[in-house]
Amino acid sequence: MSSPQISIKSPKACQKAGKMLKEFCDTTSIHGLKYITEENSHWLKRAMWTLVFLGGILFSGYFCWQMWNKWEDSPVLMSLDSNRYPLKNIPFPAVTICNVNKVSKTKLLQFMEDPRYKDVTYEKMQETLRYMTKLDRAITNEKELEYLNGYYEALNISSLDLFEILRESAPSCKDMIMDCIWLGLPSPCFDYFSFVPTDDGICCTFNGAKYDDLELNIKSNENERLHVSGNGYRMGLALVLDANIEDYSVTNGKFDGFKVLVHTSEEFPDVADRGFVVGPGSETFVGVKGITTFNTEEVAKGVTPNKRQCQVEGEQTLKYFPQYSRSACTVECATRLMQDRCKCRPYFFRADRGTKLCDLASYSCISDAYEDVRQKEEVFCNCLPPCTDVWYDPEISYATFPGRGFNLTRTFKRLVAGLNLSSTTDSNEYFKSNVAVLHVYYKDKTGVRYKTDIRFGVEDFISAMGGLLGLGLGLSFISVFELFYFLCLRFIFPSSKTLFRNREQEMNCNSFPPGNKKNVWYPTCTAETA
């Protein structure tokens, strides 16, 4: 005989859910829901409030989505921290000066007297050095470069020999700079200059970072970064530059004079791309504004580099440069690309130890690689600007040189004595056609400092989202808890409690109380026979 079963009858699920939904709408703090489920309400009124409620959802949802995208795409904000930042805290800029003439005619002729180069004509060497000092000439001249490379291979002249010719015949800093004054004093101004390779030939850099290239035997002066505490051209760098036009041999411009770049010490001096022109017979004043940026600790810890769009100090290190900068990162990226594609490196980029110096046949390859990095940097390189950075905003003005009062200055007397000029007429004529004066200084008494900080912290984001949800729906923290309460505490737990009660009742009905000898069922149980 099968044991009897207990039949437990409960309301339908949909009826229970509908009842709970109505109870929630009648009691919730979310605006408008009580009018939708209000008893004896006209259907038109319910429809209107339903549309209003759906409109509130769309309104809040759209603007919350916009807020989320804004938080994801631009979580940081750069703001002005101080426009009275002390100049003594900003390093004086590095100044790189490149003569338009890359090779001294006098020096090259002397170098060509070496017996190793007796079979090389002066014109052939000029053509070779012109390719080496202006890279974009090599892009469409592969056949000419291959011919020259074969020509020098036949004479057993290596690429290192050609670089040596370029370095020894380039106008030196002493050749270009007739007079140098730093903070009003001529000494020790020359001690702060270095003779370094750039993408515009071999140039002179004032206040530059240390430059070592053991492969090419280049070592620059090592000095502390210079600082000044005041503004005005007397509190900066003043140079008298001699173009020496009669000594021109290999030029890479349509003008006479110099190209100058004002930059940070850590940057690679890409003078060919960013330099400005200083012509003979002119006096140029470059008043710079020092601008610095820094980041807060929250930015460094809480935001990824791709979102903040800058590199925190120590986050990325470079192989060939001691300190990170965007230009140095781009140069290192270009160097790696040249090593991979061309299996060599140009003389103005440092590379892995043992990497051979590019011969003339490779110049077309390295010029193509350099052009790819220039045009598609985001494809080939991952070079973000540093979050803590310094840059200089120059304001450039010109005047005719020499003026009438120049003959009475001490600078004039020093220059005439150094050039052995016999008369005032001769000296003025030489200055007008060959000499330029350059002043680099801080224009203002203070610099500008910007701060990179969190645009929206977590608390700001929650506040903004809460305001939008409150405006559109009247939704609050209490409303969210109400949803949790009705969905969990009132729906799940009561069901579990009822099921537990029914199971307990079933167990009681299938057991006999002590002393019940007649097996009598209690009237509270409903039995069904199988």
Side-chain angles (χ1 to χ4, degrees):
M1 179 177 176
S2 60
S3 60
Q5 297 180 354
I6 305 298
S7 175
I8 303 173
K9 299 180 180 179
S10 60
K12 293 182 179 180
C14 59
Q15 293 178 346
K16 185 177 181 181
K19 181 180 178 182
M20 188 167 294
L21 177 63
K22 185 178 186 309
E23 183 181 354
F24 173 76
C25 293
D26 289 344
T27 58
T28 184
S29 59
I30 300 176
H31 296 173
L33 286 179
K34 65 180 181 179
Y35 299 111
I36 299 176
T37 59
E38 190 177 27
E39 293 184 1
N40 302 322
S41 179
H42 195 274
W43 67 269
L44 190 60
K45 178 181 177 182
R46 293 183 178 182
M48 180 190 70
W49 279 106
T50 301
L51 291 176
V52 170
F53 181 72
L54 293 176
I57 292 177
L58 293 175
F59 172 85
S60 299
Y62 173 77
F63 285 104
C64 286
W65 176 252
Q66 293 294 320
M67 185 64 65
W68 172 264
N69 287 335
K70 190 175 182 180
W71 190 43
E72 281 288 303
D73 296 339
S74 55
V76 298
L77 175 68
M78 182 177 286
S79 59
L80 180 64
D81 181 67
S82 173
N83 59 358
R84 294 289 182 268
Y85 194 61
L87 289 179
K88 63 181 181 180
N89 295 336
I90 307 175
F92 194 79
V95 182
T96 298
I97 304 149
C98 297
N99 199 323
V100 173
N101 177 42
K102 303 306 170 187
V103 174
S104 165
K105 181 179 179 180
T106 304
K107 289 185 176 182
L108 183 58
L109 287 172
Q110 290 175 352
F111 209 88
M112 296 291 291
E113 294 176 0
D114 190 313
R116 291 182 298 169
Y117 309 114
K118 64 180 180 178
D119 296 325
V120 182
T121 64
Y122 176 79
E123 290 74 18
K124 186 75 70 177
M125 186 59 70
Q126 273 186 310
E127 184 181 8
T128 302
L129 298 177
R130 189 171 288 111
Y131 279 119
M132 292 178 64
T133 54
K134 191 167 176 60
L135 200 59
D136 55 6
R137 284 197 182 103
I139 294 177
T140 58
N141 292 315
E142 293 89 347
K143 291 183 179 180
E144 181 66 26
L145 288 166
E146 289 176 1
Y147 164 74
L148 285 173
N149 190 64
Y151 175 81
Y152 287 112
E153 283 183 352
L155 296 174
N156 200 26
I157 298 173
S158 67
S159 54
L160 193 58
D161 293 331
L162 293 175
F163 169 73
E164 193 68 23
I165 295 173
L166 175 62
R167 182 173 64 178
E168 295 299 324
S169 60
S172 67
C173 297
K174 290 287 186 179
D175 295 333
M176 285 192 289
I177 302 170
M178 300 173 67
D179 198 42
C180 176
I181 297 175
W182 168 246
L183 299 181
L185 300 173
S187 178
C189 185
F190 275 105
D191 295 341
Y192 301 123
F193 274 94
S194 301
F195 196 49
V196 295
T198 73
D199 62 345
D200 201 37
I202 303 180
C203 306
C204 293
T205 297
F206 175 84
N207 194 34
K210 183 180 178 182
Y211 189 99
D212 285 338
D213 191 333
L214 300 178
E215 299 286 323
L216 300 181
N217 194 25
I218 299 175
K219 188 173 183 179
S220 69
N221 297 332
E222 185 176 3
N223 295 300
E224 294 275 338
R225 299 284 75 79
L226 298 175
H227 292 74
V228 297
S229 57
N231 65 316
Y233 75 94
R234 292 184 182 85
M235 294 294 292
L237 175 68
L239 300 174
V240 180
L241 305 173
D242 186 6
N244 197 5
I245 294 173
E246 296 298 324
D247 198 38
Y248 274 24
S249 177
V250 175
T251 63
N252 63 2
K254 303 178 181 64
F255 56 91
D256 298 330
F258 307 89
K259 289 191 74 174
V260 179
L261 179 66
V262 177
H263 58 97
T264 60
S265 301
E266 294 77 23
E267 283 186 302
F268 173 77
D270 48 345
V271 184
D273 288 336
R274 298 194 292 141
F276 60 89
V277 175
V278 175
S282 66
E283 186 166 7
T284 304
F285 293 82
V286 183
V288 298
K289 178 181 288 186
I291 303 172
T292 66
T293 61
F294 76 101
N295 61 276
T296 61
E297 189 175 349
E298 290 79 7
V299 169
K301 292 182 177 180
V303 186
T304 62
N306 288 333
K307 287 185 178 180
R308 72 172 104 93
Q309 286 298 295
C310 63
Q311 294 279 2
V312 173
E313 186 176 357
E315 205 165 43
Q316 182 175 349
T317 58
L318 301 178
K319 191 173 184 180
Y320 312 127
F321 294 86
Q323 189 168 343
Y324 180 88
S325 69
R326 187 170 190 173
S327 65
C329 176
T330 303
V331 166
E332 191 159 299
C333 173
T335 304
R336 289 195 301 267
L337 188 62
M338 291 173 185
Q339 289 181 98
D340 292 339
R341 286 187 185 179
C342 314
K343 311 304 179 187
C344 66
R345 57 101 169 194
Y347 65 86
F348 50 85
F349 285 167
R350 285 169 286 187
D352 294 337
R353 196 172 186 81
T355 302
K356 72 170 187 175
L357 198 63
C358 289
D359 55 29
L360 289 173
S362 302
Y363 267 66
S364 180
C365 177
I366 62 173
S367 61
D368 286 337
Y370 200 23
E371 198 65 26
D372 284 343
V373 171
R374 282 173 172 172
Q375 296 181 3
K376 303 174 183 178
E377 181 183 335
E378 68 281 355
V379 176
F380 294 100
C381 311
N382 182 27
C383 294
L384 297 173
C387 298
T388 301
D389 199 6
V390 179
W391 71 90
Y392 304 95
D393 185 17
E395 183 178 303
I396 305 171
S397 58
Y398 300 88
T400 303
F401 174 84
R404 294 182 181 181
F406 182 65
N407 294 350
L408 304 176
T409 63
R410 287 175 294 179
T411 302
F412 172 79
K413 294 175 182 178
R414 285 201 308 271
L415 296 178
V416 169
L419 292 171
N420 295 319
L421 297 176
S422 58
S423 68
T424 304
T425 304
D426 292 340
S427 62
N428 281 343
E429 224 23 71
Y430 186 85
F431 289 142
K432 286 180 182 179
S433 57
N434 290 274
V435 178
V437 179
L438 174 67
H439 301 275
V440 180
Y441 55 93
Y442 282 120
K443 182 182 177 182
D444 300 321
K445 292 183 179 294
T446 55
V448 178
R449 194 184 196 206
Y450 289 95
K451 177 175 68 174
T452 302
D453 203 352
I454 297 288
R455 181 191 291 268
F456 292 112
V458 175
E459 63 281 0
D460 300 317
F461 179 72
I462 292 175
S463 298
M465 296 285 277
L468 290 170
L469 291 171
L471 179 63
L473 296 170
L475 195 67
S476 65
F477 176 78
I478 302 299
S479 305
V480 174
F481 184 77
E482 286 175 353
L483 281 170
F484 172 78
Y485 173 74
F486 273 90
L487 290 176
C488 299
L489 301 180
R490 290 289 302 275
F491 184 76
I492 298 175
F493 291 166
S495 300
S496 301
K497 185 177 180 182
T498 302
L499 181 61
F500 178 78
R501 188 191 304 117
N502 290 336
R503 285 180 179 176
E504 186 180 25
Q505 186 178 5
E506 182 180 353
M507 291 176 63
N508 290 334
C509 290
N510 281 295
S511 61
F512 299 104
N516 191 347
K517 306 288 186 180
K518 300 180 180 180
N519 296 338
V520 179
W521 291 96
Y522 282 97
T524 56
C525 299
T526 302
E528 292 182 0
T529 58

